[in-house]
Amino acid sequence: MNIIISDIENKEDKSLEINFSEIIEEFNTKTPVKADLNVQIAGSIIRIKGKIHAEVNLVCDLCLKDFTKIFDIEVDEAYIKENLNSSQQKEFELKEDSFVEDLNGKDEIDITDFVYQCVILNIPNKLVCDINCNGDGNINKYIKKESSDPRLEIFKTIKIEKDN
Ligand SMILES: [Zn+2]
């Protein structure tokens, strides 16, 4: 889904409400990603605020099984049409974790990509299906094999001493 910036600028309130509902294939789910977003243009700044609800099918790092993680994200991000001068930058203070993307004169914003990026930024580095997940036999087998590597024997010894 693309929005045309000049279309919004031509509106009296210079804003647009978006009810987004699309399947994003990269999330491996048939459930559409939903978002309620408000786009507001002020000078050369395009600000997008709202909420995103997404279900993403991921693979657990411990047991290697698929699981669905639900993301409910509040977003407050901005695009700039061209480089801001320093006084404009001062006026426009963003949250620390926000991104500001320079559109370099483009007149369109890909909202699907925007939503995708927002969700991706919220996926944790370590993916665990459940707080009680202990992994499975395949992983344990792998760890055992690793520690029988003669180069790792020294670490095994150190660990045993520590445990006693
Ligand atoms: Zn798991």
Side-chain angles (χ1 to χ4, degrees):
M1 174 189 198
N2 280 20
I3 54 166
I4 314 285
I5 295 156
S6 53
D7 281 356
I8 304 169
E9 280 175 326
N10 289 335
K11 293 172 71 181
E12 209 174 309
D13 60 358
K14 300 197 188 311
S15 82
L16 178 73
E17 299 295 329
I18 300 172
N19 290 309
F20 178 94
S21 179
E22 269 183 36
I23 290 169
I24 297 181
E25 266 177 45
E26 285 86 346
F27 294 162
N28 292 315
T29 176
K30 297 208 157 46
T31 313
V33 178
K34 306 241 181 209
D36 291 316
L37 301 170
N38 169 266
V39 184
Q40 180 79 51
I41 302 182
S44 34
I45 295 152
I46 300 130
R47 192 161 191 171
I48 306 179
K49 274 195 202 182
K51 286 187 178 137
I52 297 171
H53 175 89
E55 290 181 19
V56 185
N57 272 329
L58 297 163
V59 176
C60 173
D61 283 342
L62 292 179
C63 68
L64 305 182
K65 286 180 185 136
D66 291 347
F67 69 105
T68 304
K69 193 167 169 61
I70 293 168
F71 293 88
D72 279 296
I73 305 163
E74 300 241 356
V75 293
D76 182 359
E77 312 289 354
Y79 290 84
I80 51 170
K81 280 159 65 184
E82 63 254 8
N83 285 323
L84 300 177
N85 63 41
S86 56
S87 70
Q88 280 175 307
Q89 265 171 358
K90 226 175 176 180
E91 269 173 48
F92 188 68
E93 280 178 26
L94 284 168
K95 288 188 306 177
E96 260 176 48
D97 58 347
S98 291
F99 63 80
V100 178
E101 199 177 313
D102 196 336
L103 286 174
N104 283 317
K106 265 193 301 171
D107 190 41
E108 285 186 353
I109 295 175
D110 182 344
I111 292 296
T112 309
D113 186 59
F114 171 82
V115 169
Y116 172 77
Q117 298 291 345
C118 290
V119 175
I120 289 293
L121 285 173
N122 277 275
I123 295 180
N125 288 330
K126 190 159 178 68
L127 298 171
V128 180
C129 62
D130 185 277
I131 196 162
N132 295 315
C133 177
N134 293 315
D136 73 355
N138 289 330
I139 299 267
N140 290 336
K141 214 159 64 192
Y142 175 74
I143 291 166
K144 214 171 168 186
K145 197 176 148 206
E146 271 287 291
S147 65
S148 69
D149 185 323
R151 288 167 300 181
L152 297 174
E153 284 301 306
I154 182 74
F155 296 111
K156 226 167 152 185
T157 314
I158 291 167
K159 205 180 168 197
I160 289 162
E161 281 169 1
K162 267 190 180 171
D163 287 343
N164 291 338

